[in-house]
């Protein structure tokens, strides 16, 4: 299958969405012993079990994308004020994803009471990094991606979406007004 997006993998733990201004302060696996007791950045991220969570990082917060295993790709909107973080759970053809993001069924899931929600802030630059939580921010060894957002407050909503040939966790990112 031809892939049209950059899919960010992890080494088994959660993904992280972190502001450019906080990135160099993220220590990843540094100091990690086991995720149930230590206070390493990676262990704290691993303790988040939902699709959306946040943990402290330096003078800000990092958004933890956990709950399911699967690579994540960014589908931005045309206005640089949001988009979708799509987590690949089971996809027969990547070309099915983009049309699914515009379906009333997905909209209903994201607006429903079962959808997870999280409010968060970008840094002053608006640049956010999608990384493996195990990586050190100052030495990104795995694949990663920079997301160019307008600076400000955002609301993320997460839901599980399934249709014929498609199974994914969708996290919609929208700028708060």
């Amino acid at each position: 299958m031809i892939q049209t997006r950059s899919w960010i993998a992890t080494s088994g733990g959660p993904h992280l969405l972190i502001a450019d201004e906080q990135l160099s302060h993220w220590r990843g696996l540094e100091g990690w012993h086991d995720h149930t007791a230590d206070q390493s950045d990676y262990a704290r991220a691993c303790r988040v079990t939902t699709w959306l969570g946040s943990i402290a990082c330096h003078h800000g917060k990092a958004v933890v994308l956990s709950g399911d295993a699967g690579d994540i790709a960014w589908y931005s909107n045309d206005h640089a004020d949001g988009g979708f973080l799509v987590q690949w759970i089971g996809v027969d053809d990547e070309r099915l994803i983009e049309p699914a993001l515009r379906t009333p069924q997905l909209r209903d899931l994201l607006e429903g009471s079962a959808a997870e929600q999280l409010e968060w802030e970008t840094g002053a630059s608006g640049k956010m990094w999608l990384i493996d939580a195990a990586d050190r921010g100052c030495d990104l060894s795995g694949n990663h991606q920079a997301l160019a957002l307008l600076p400000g407050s955002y609301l993320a909503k997460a839901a599980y979406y399934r249709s014929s040939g498609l199974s994914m966790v969708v996290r919609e990112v929208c700028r708060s007004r």
Side-chain angles (χ1 to χ4, degrees), residues 7-19:
W7 290 90
I8 308 305
T10 69
S11 55
H15 289 82
L16 196 73
L17 189 60
I18 187 167

Side-chain angles (χ1 to χ4, degrees), residues 15-73:
H15 289 82
L16 196 73
L17 189 60
I18 187 167
D20 189 59
E21 294 81 358
Q22 302 298 323
L23 184 63
S24 65
H25 300 284
W26 183 258
R27 300 291 177 225
L29 283 173
E30 185 178 296
W32 184 75
H33 301 290
D34 85 56
H35 78 302
T36 59
D38 73 47
Q39 290 301 308
S40 68
D41 289 345
Y42 179 70
R44 292 182 308 116
C46 286
R47 285 193 286 273
V48 174
T49 59
T50 55
W51 293 322
L52 294 167
S54 72
I55 58 174
C57 179
H58 192 55
H59 296 302
K61 300 253 183 202
V63 178
V64 180
L65 310 173
S66 192
D68 284 285
D71 298 353
I72 295 181

Side-chain angles (χ1 to χ4, degrees), residues 113-171:
S113 61
E116 292 183 20
Q117 294 189 24
L118 179 71
E119 292 186 49
W120 51 276
E121 301 276 331
T122 69
S125 70
K127 186 176 187 180
M128 300 292 293
W129 289 90
L130 177 61
I131 67 170
D132 180 345
D135 284 347
R136 288 185 55 179
C138 62
D139 183 28
L140 293 175
S141 58
N143 57 350
H144 51 277
Q145 183 177 1
L147 284 56
L149 297 173
L150 295 171
S153 299
Y154 284 79
L155 174 65
K157 296 178 183 179
Y160 183 83
Y161 178 86
R162 176 184 288 260
S163 68
S164 178
L166 193 59
S167 177
M168 60 188 180
V169 175
V170 177
R171 296 168 180 97

Side-chain angles (χ1 to χ4, degrees), residues 82-94:
F84 297 92
L85 290 161
V86 174
Q87 190 161 19
W88 186 299
I89 306 299
V91 180
D92 290 345
D93 186 338
E94 186 179 345

